[in-house]
Amino acid sequence: MFSFRKPKKTLLGVDISSSSVKVLEISQEGSKYNLEAYGIEPTPPDSVVENTITDPEAVGSAIERAVLSSGSTSTEAACAIAGSKAITKKITLSSEVPEQDLEGQVQLEMVQHIPHPIEDISIDFHIENNPTDSGTPYEITVVATKSENVDSCVVALERAGLAPKVVDVELFALENAISLTSVLCREDKLSQVIGVVDIGSSSTKLSVLENGSISYNREQNFGGKQLLNEIQRSYGLSYEEAKARLAESSLEPGYEEKTLAPFVESAAQEVERAIQLFYSSSNASRLEHISLTGGCAAVEGIVASISAKTDTPVDIINPFDKISLAERIDQVKLKQESTMLLTALGLSARGLVF
Ligand SMILES: Nc1ncnc2c1ncn2[C@@H]1O[C@H](COP(=O)(O)OP(=O)(O)OP(=O)(O)O)[C@@H](O)[C@H]1O
Ligand SMILES: [Mg+2]
């Protein structure tokens, strides 16, 4: 085949949660981005419990199925551990520390903050500034997690036949997806203080972004599982049946008033509570905007309800409008599922420049 461009390897983003595994591959050519493939598969019961992969083999099989259904041929992958499984610290170190000694110094510094033997911990760090003048200390962001959290991701990816290249933290993957979204949508929201609310299956997470990076985050136990349980109870369905009916929007009349409206109301209350807790934290700035993501962002009426409760403009983060799509992608399905894919997008985009 005639091609003088060097083929560039893409990274497959793999987002593992207790309800599903999402895989997504995005590629880049200059300033153009293309969604090559994506797939969603349910996670086997009890294989992910409270953000911990307890059965990496079963999760690996689900990833393998998701990759197959997506049609992706990407072999290198990025996955993430939950924010609640990682400690993030900002530290400063003297600019006199030679670069080759930084890693050791960072480890020594972190020993004080971590209640586990250092040999059981994986640490990564990023230098935020460039201390060229002597005297300016290094400003360093350090992330630490128990090595077993990294290992279980790696085992799951390998079980799916993928080569793990990046093990990220979910929050940073989300941050990355939002940076890409603002580039794609040519928005200047990143200069604002925005609250990103991810309403998933079992959790609702608020992350506050200031100048494009997360300054606050908090997780609450609320999500679409509650709606599904309520549908099961009201209509005498199994969990799987409830999920299918919700996806097809084929629930009986009366569903909206009886089941959906109370869920939307509870969701708005949860978000309001999360935001109040943020405002009561020290140095909190006023949120100028709320951006929604996660499967429940697609629930009808949720945007208006949260906006009314919090008295703040609300929208749904949707970068997929601005990305070209490979032929294999079903546009109608993508529209329904796009709010579930932001973390996987942020992970795949780790391999890109933007
Ligand atoms: N169109 C829709 N209408 C209503 N609910 C939906 C819709 N699409 C998805 N959901 C709900 O969204 C949830 C899945 O969202 P998502 O994939 O973001 O969660 P998750 O990442 O698996 O969970 P968590 O982040 O809590 O671990 C499910 O509970 C599902 O029922
Ligand atoms: Mg999620």
Side-chain angles (χ1 to χ4, degrees):
M1 199 176 76
F2 180 59
S3 169
F4 52 86
R5 260 175 230 258
K6 208 169 111 207
K8 230 172 84 186
K9 268 196 173 166
T10 55
L11 207 52
L12 187 73
V14 181
D15 175 18
I16 303 164
S17 84
S18 55
S19 78
S20 64
V21 167
K22 292 103 167 167
V23 302
L24 185 148
E25 179 191 351
I26 185 173
S27 66
Q28 176 182 28
E29 233 185 276
S31 60
K32 286 213 167 66
Y33 300 86
N34 192 46
L35 179 61
E36 300 287 345
Y38 84 90
I40 304 176
E41 274 292 314
T43 326
D46 303 323
S47 59
V48 179
V49 180
E50 286 172 8
N51 294 330
T52 301
I53 300 175
T54 48
D55 187 347
E57 293 282 318
V59 172
S61 306
I63 298 172
E64 196 174 18
R65 288 193 292 278
V67 175
L68 269 177
S69 77
S70 76
S72 171
T73 52
S74 188
T75 52
E76 301 193 330
C79 68
I81 56 166
S84 58
K85 298 275 162 214
I87 299 177
T88 306
K89 279 254 165 264
K90 291 205 189 297
I91 62 170
T92 53
L93 286 179
S94 159
S95 58
E96 277 157 28
V97 177
E99 214 159 325
Q100 67 271 22
D101 293 348
L102 277 176
E103 191 170 343
Q105 285 292 324
V106 167
Q107 278 205 359
L108 275 178
E109 193 74 20
M110 288 305 281
V111 167
Q112 324 162 31
H113 303 292
I114 300 172
H116 301 290
I118 197 78
E119 54 276 15
D120 297 345
I121 299 295
S122 296
I123 288 182
D124 193 15
F125 66 95
H126 178 246
I127 303 167
E128 302 289 348
N129 63 341
N130 184 12
T132 39
D133 322 329
S134 59
T136 317
Y138 282 105
E139 285 167 21
I140 300 177
T141 302
V142 192
V143 185
T145 185
K146 281 173 108 173
S147 300
E148 61 192 37
N149 297 325
V150 177
D151 297 344
S152 57
C153 282
V154 166
V155 171
L157 291 179
E158 286 176 344
R159 169 68 189 74
L162 298 168
K165 289 287 157 192
V166 174
V167 179
D168 205 332
V169 177
E170 200 181 329
L171 279 174
F172 296 152
L174 188 64
E175 194 180 277
N176 198 40
I178 291 166
S179 301
L180 176 63
T181 307
S182 81
V183 170
L184 290 169
C185 300
R186 300 204 167 80
E187 291 168 335
D188 191 29
K189 274 215 203 103
L190 289 189
S191 61
Q192 298 182 355
V193 183
I194 57 172
V196 177
V197 177
D198 175 356
I199 314 180
S201 170
S202 49
S203 68
T204 293
K205 299 171 202 123
L206 167 68
S207 314
V208 176
L209 262 89
E210 294 188 54
N211 297 318
S213 54
I214 292 174
S215 60
Y216 173 96
N217 73 284
R218 200 192 151 81
E219 187 168 335
Q220 286 168 207
N221 290 327
F222 177 86
K225 218 174 169 176
Q226 260 119 310
L227 176 62
L228 288 171
N229 288 341
E230 192 50 37
I231 293 173
Q232 272 183 271
R233 214 181 50 78
S234 305
Y235 299 95
L237 300 172
S238 72
Y239 192 73
E240 288 308 317
E241 286 167 335
K243 239 165 79 176
R245 295 277 198 97
L246 183 63
E248 296 159 4
S249 312
S250 61
L251 288 149
E252 284 82 0
Y255 158 68
E256 291 193 0
E257 301 87 83
K258 264 201 345 239
T259 313
L260 191 64
F263 175 77
V264 168
E265 176 66 19
S266 309
Q269 270 169 15
E270 286 288 333
V271 175
E272 186 190 22
R273 197 163 73 88
I275 288 172
Q276 275 167 359
L277 282 167
F278 163 66
Y279 283 144
S280 63
S281 68
S282 57
N283 302 324
S285 325
R286 169 94 200 155
L287 297 182
E288 290 164 82
H289 200 94
I290 294 172
S291 289
L292 284 190
T293 185
C296 294
V299 170
E300 224 180 292
I302 210 157
V303 169
S305 188
I306 293 174
S307 181
K309 265 265 177 333
T310 59
D311 197 20
T312 310
V314 178
D315 68 5
I316 295 175
I317 308 169
N318 185 11
F320 295 102
D321 277 356
K322 302 283 189 279
I323 299 177
S324 60
L325 307 179
E327 242 169 63
R328 61 161 78 95
I329 289 169
D330 179 337
Q331 294 190 32
V332 177
K333 218 159 157 254
L334 175 65
K335 231 185 166 76
Q336 290 163 354
E337 298 177 330
S338 61
T339 64
M340 290 193 253
L341 296 170
L342 208 62
T343 305
L345 174 70
L347 286 168
S348 178
R350 277 285 178 233
L352 310 181
V353 186
F354 53 89

